[in-house]
Amino acid sequence: MTFKRYIIFIYLIFFSFTAANNKLAIDGSGRYLSSIFNNKEILVWDIKNSALLFNSRLECDTISDLAIYHYYNDTTILSTVASCSNGLLFFLNKEGKIINKKHYPEYGSEITTNNTMAFSNNGEILYTIGKDSIGFVVDPYNGQLKNIIEGSNYSMPKETIVSPNNRYLITSYLNGSLKFWTIDSQWENLNSNFLMNLSKARITGLSLASNKHLLVSDNKKYIYLVDYVKKKILKKKKIITNGYANQIVFNREGTGFFTGHKNGKISYWRIAGTDIHFHDKSKKKHNGLIQSMLLYPKKETNLIITAGTDNFIHFIDFNEYEIECSFYINSNGWISFNDKSHYKGTLKLSEVPIILKEGKKMNNPFKHTFNHLR
């Protein structure tokens, strides 16, 4: 390794530890959204009621990842899990109470800094990956260790996702590689693994579609289209607008995707076969880097959710790139508001660091956008 590459490597590791992490996770029902504030505090938002459900400050220096799941058939059960840089997993209930705090050193390694997590799509299993030779298969409601995941990569993991059919677990790493595991029918055993050295740069984003396609972005302005079943690169595309993609998200059909950038803008791309074409871009939606971006899970709305370094979470109509409603938080409190400046929360509109027209306080400013939620 040259001296220049060594300095870049050290910078990336330092940045991954110190940069504010405003990562998002949403449950499949579309009602509950979790986020991170100041690296140490986990927030869970009730989208239906336009409110902060709870915030919990955890006993760790940095929250590296979070996951959330809400049972459709039992609205009292909400499981939120946060991983910490000190190797602990925190399990929280619907009231924000820590019901379990776990690590698993008996298997030779604790979960380490910058580990990633993903729920199975039925919410019964939590998969965690750290910078170890192993990962863990965990019961997300009692913290019980169900199995280990062998064959992890000796690099910092960036993101972990599960395929829509619960058959594949995929993790991206800061060294530009991807790791694929095949999951058995019981969701607890991972039978085989495959390492793909995809890029020589840092991977920034990861997204899956139901048509066996995987999208990957890196910080050298490339986008990769991958067949995650055949583990085959289908297309490598250079980005020529807005700089590199820090986030990447498929549309519902898998025929296009959105990218979020450090200038606060969003771009949309079309996929035709294996070809990728730039389509259009938005105006600036965040004052700074878009750190996290999700497709809202319910088809009743055309929304993507973005979080930035400016402490805003926006719900954006992806057809018009219009912000329909938002959450904002700072050290003094929180606020939710819609495009008419109707608001709710502990902050006033005048305390929001963007220009808003005069509005009134109301019980549920998100009601019009999310009237399908129960």
Side-chain angles (χ1 to χ4, degrees), residues 273-289:
T274 59
D275 289 330
I276 298 172
H277 305 280
F278 173 75
H279 183 68
D280 61 14
K281 62 182 178 180
S282 73
K283 295 181 180 179
K284 193 173 187 177
K285 299 301 174 182
H286 286 274
N287 185 21
L289 176 71

mmCIF file of all heavy atoms in Angstrom, residues 273-289:
data_model
loop_
_atom_site.group_PDB
_atom_site.id
_atom_site.type_symbol
_atom_site.label_atom_id
_atom_site.label_comp_id
_atom_site.label_asym_id
_atom_site.label_seq_id
_atom_site.Cartn_x
_atom_site.Cartn_y
_atom_site.Cartn_z
ATOM 1 N N GLY A 273 -33.248 -2.916 -19.931
ATOM 2 C CA GLY A 273 -32.436 -4.132 -20.019
ATOM 3 C C GLY A 273 -31.339 -4.073 -18.968
ATOM 4 O O GLY A 273 -31.610 -4.088 -17.774
ATOM 5 N N THR A 274 -30.104 -3.956 -19.440
ATOM 6 C CA THR A 274 -28.988 -3.734 -18.511
ATOM 7 C C THR A 274 -28.347 -2.363 -18.711
ATOM 8 O O THR A 274 -27.316 -2.069 -18.113
ATOM 9 C CB THR A 274 -27.921 -4.832 -18.691
ATOM 10 O OG1 THR A 274 -27.445 -4.821 -20.043
ATOM 11 C CG2 THR A 274 -28.484 -6.206 -18.344
ATOM 12 N N ASP A 275 -28.963 -1.526 -19.537
ATOM 13 C CA ASP A 275 -28.450 -0.179 -19.765
ATOM 14 C C ASP A 275 -29.024 0.792 -18.729
ATOM 15 O O ASP A 275 -30.183 0.668 -18.310
ATOM 16 C CB ASP A 275 -28.805 0.313 -21.170
ATOM 17 C CG ASP A 275 -28.013 -0.408 -22.249
ATOM 18 O OD1 ASP A 275 -26.871 -0.811 -21.959
ATOM 19 O OD2 ASP A 275 -28.547 -0.574 -23.363
ATOM 20 N N ILE A 276 -28.218 1.762 -18.319
ATOM 21 C CA ILE A 276 -28.602 2.762 -17.324
ATOM 22 C C ILE A 276 -28.528 4.143 -17.969
ATOM 23 O O ILE A 276 -27.511 4.505 -18.571
ATOM 24 C CB ILE A 276 -27.678 2.703 -16.097
ATOM 25 C CG1 ILE A 276 -27.795 1.340 -15.408
ATOM 26 C CG2 ILE A 276 -28.010 3.814 -15.110
ATOM 27 C CD1 ILE A 276 -26.780 1.127 -14.309
ATOM 28 N N HIS A 277 -29.633 4.918 -17.848
ATOM 29 C CA HIS A 277 -29.694 6.237 -18.469
ATOM 30 C C HIS A 277 -30.127 7.281 -17.448
ATOM 31 O O HIS A 277 -31.116 7.088 -16.730
ATOM 32 C CB HIS A 277 -30.690 6.237 -19.639
ATOM 33 C CG HIS A 277 -30.416 5.196 -20.674
ATOM 34 N ND1 HIS A 277 -29.452 5.358 -21.646
ATOM 35 C CD2 HIS A 277 -30.967 3.967 -20.873
ATOM 36 C CE1 HIS A 277 -29.428 4.281 -22.411
ATOM 37 N NE2 HIS A 277 -30.330 3.421 -21.975
ATOM 38 N N PHE A 278 -29.412 8.396 -17.389
ATOM 39 C CA PHE A 278 -29.820 9.507 -16.535
ATOM 40 C C PHE A 278 -31.107 10.116 -17.067
ATOM 41 O O PHE A 278 -31.259 10.329 -18.269
ATOM 42 C CB PHE A 278 -28.717 10.571 -16.495
ATOM 43 C CG PHE A 278 -29.112 11.821 -15.767
ATOM 44 C CD1 PHE A 278 -29.177 11.839 -14.381
ATOM 45 C CD2 PHE A 278 -29.431 12.974 -16.465
ATOM 46 C CE1 PHE A 278 -29.550 12.995 -13.700
ATOM 47 C CE2 PHE A 278 -29.795 14.134 -15.795
ATOM 48 C CZ PHE A 278 -29.857 14.136 -14.409
ATOM 49 N N HIS A 279 -32.068 10.404 -16.154
ATOM 50 C CA HIS A 279 -33.362 10.946 -16.576
ATOM 51 C C HIS A 279 -33.547 12.404 -16.146
ATOM 52 O O HIS A 279 -33.740 13.278 -16.977
ATOM 53 C CB HIS A 279 -34.493 10.088 -16.006
ATOM 54 C CG HIS A 279 -35.857 10.525 -16.432
ATOM 55 N ND1 HIS A 279 -36.290 10.420 -17.732
ATOM 56 C CD2 HIS A 279 -36.895 11.082 -15.728
ATOM 57 C CE1 HIS A 279 -37.530 10.879 -17.829
ATOM 58 N NE2 HIS A 279 -37.915 11.302 -16.624
ATOM 59 N N ASP A 280 -33.506 12.679 -14.831
ATOM 60 C CA ASP A 280 -33.638 14.056 -14.375
ATOM 61 C C ASP A 280 -33.115 14.176 -12.952
ATOM 62 O O ASP A 280 -32.690 13.199 -12.345
ATOM 63 C CB ASP A 280 -35.092 14.558 -14.477
ATOM 64 C CG ASP A 280 -36.061 13.743 -13.626
ATOM 65 O OD1 ASP A 280 -35.607 12.970 -12.749
ATOM 66 O OD2 ASP A 280 -37.276 13.866 -13.827
ATOM 67 N N LYS A 281 -33.149 15.398 -12.430
ATOM 68 C CA LYS A 281 -32.674 15.629 -11.066
ATOM 69 C C LYS A 281 -33.532 16.696 -10.401
ATOM 70 O O LYS A 281 -34.185 17.506 -11.063
ATOM 71 C CB LYS A 281 -31.202 16.060 -11.060
ATOM 72 C CG LYS A 281 -30.918 17.355 -11.787
ATOM 73 C CD LYS A 281 -29.429 17.665 -11.774
ATOM 74 C CE LYS A 281 -29.134 18.942 -12.556
ATOM 75 N NZ LYS A 281 -27.691 19.261 -12.566
ATOM 76 N N SER A 282 -33.501 16.700 -9.079
ATOM 77 C CA SER A 282 -34.289 17.647 -8.306
ATOM 78 C C SER A 282 -33.491 18.906 -8.017
ATOM 79 O O SER A 282 -32.283 18.969 -8.248
ATOM 80 C CB SER A 282 -34.702 17.002 -6.967
ATOM 81 O OG SER A 282 -33.578 16.924 -6.089
ATOM 82 N N LYS A 283 -34.189 19.888 -7.461
ATOM 83 C CA LYS A 283 -33.501 20.999 -6.829
ATOM 84 C C LYS A 283 -32.958 20.533 -5.478
ATOM 85 O O LYS A 283 -33.216 19.416 -5.037
ATOM 86 C CB LYS A 283 -34.462 22.174 -6.651
ATOM 87 C CG LYS A 283 -34.950 22.769 -7.965
ATOM 88 C CD LYS A 283 -35.889 23.940 -7.723
ATOM 89 C CE LYS A 283 -36.369 24.530 -9.034
ATOM 90 N NZ LYS A 283 -37.320 25.660 -8.816
ATOM 91 N N LYS A 284 -32.240 21.403 -4.812
ATOM 92 C CA LYS A 284 -31.636 21.060 -3.526
ATOM 93 C C LYS A 284 -32.719 20.790 -2.488
ATOM 94 O O LYS A 284 -33.584 21.631 -2.237
ATOM 95 C CB LYS A 284 -30.736 22.208 -3.072
ATOM 96 C CG LYS A 284 -29.816 21.885 -1.923
ATOM 97 C CD LYS A 284 -28.850 23.036 -1.685
ATOM 98 C CE LYS A 284 -27.806 22.687 -0.656
ATOM 99 N NZ LYS A 284 -26.827 23.778 -0.469
ATOM 100 N N LYS A 285 -32.651 19.599 -1.840
ATOM 101 C CA LYS A 285 -33.637 19.216 -0.834
ATOM 102 C C LYS A 285 -33.065 19.222 0.582
ATOM 103 O O LYS A 285 -33.824 19.272 1.546
ATOM 104 C CB LYS A 285 -34.198 17.835 -1.153
ATOM 105 C CG LYS A 285 -34.919 17.753 -2.492
ATOM 106 C CD LYS A 285 -36.076 18.733 -2.555
ATOM 107 C CE LYS A 285 -36.728 18.772 -3.920
ATOM 108 N NZ LYS A 285 -37.822 19.761 -4.010
ATOM 109 N N HIS A 286 -31.764 19.136 0.715
ATOM 110 C CA HIS A 286 -31.099 19.204 2.013
ATOM 111 C C HIS A 286 -29.940 20.184 1.923
ATOM 112 O O HIS A 286 -29.315 20.338 0.871
ATOM 113 C CB HIS A 286 -30.566 17.829 2.442
ATOM 114 C CG HIS A 286 -31.625 16.874 2.881
ATOM 115 N ND1 HIS A 286 -32.103 16.831 4.167
ATOM 116 C CD2 HIS A 286 -32.302 15.919 2.189
ATOM 117 C CE1 HIS A 286 -33.020 15.882 4.263
ATOM 118 N NE2 HIS A 286 -33.164 15.319 3.078
ATOM 119 N N ASN A 287 -29.645 20.821 3.034
ATOM 120 C CA ASN A 287 -28.488 21.701 3.111
ATOM 121 C C ASN A 287 -27.273 20.848 3.471
ATOM 122 O O ASN A 287 -26.838 20.795 4.618
ATOM 123 C CB ASN A 287 -28.719 22.789 4.158
ATOM 124 C CG ASN A 287 -27.589 23.793 4.193
ATOM 125 O OD1 ASN A 287 -26.829 23.926 3.233
ATOM 126 N ND2 ASN A 287 -27.451 24.486 5.306
ATOM 127 N N GLY A 288 -26.739 20.175 2.479
ATOM 128 C CA GLY A 288 -25.612 19.276 2.688
ATOM 129 C C GLY A 288 -25.913 17.861 2.229
ATOM 130 O O GLY A 288 -26.858 17.606 1.474
ATOM 131 N N LEU A 289 -25.122 16.945 2.708
ATOM 132 C CA LEU A 289 -25.138 15.546 2.276
ATOM 133 C C LEU A 289 -26.446 14.849 2.610
ATOM 134 O O LEU A 289 -26.973 14.989 3.714
ATOM 135 C CB LEU A 289 -23.981 14.808 2.954
ATOM 136 C CG LEU A 289 -23.844 13.307 2.737
ATOM 137 C CD1 LEU A 289 -23.407 13.012 1.317
ATOM 138 C CD2 LEU A 289 -22.834 12.728 3.728
#
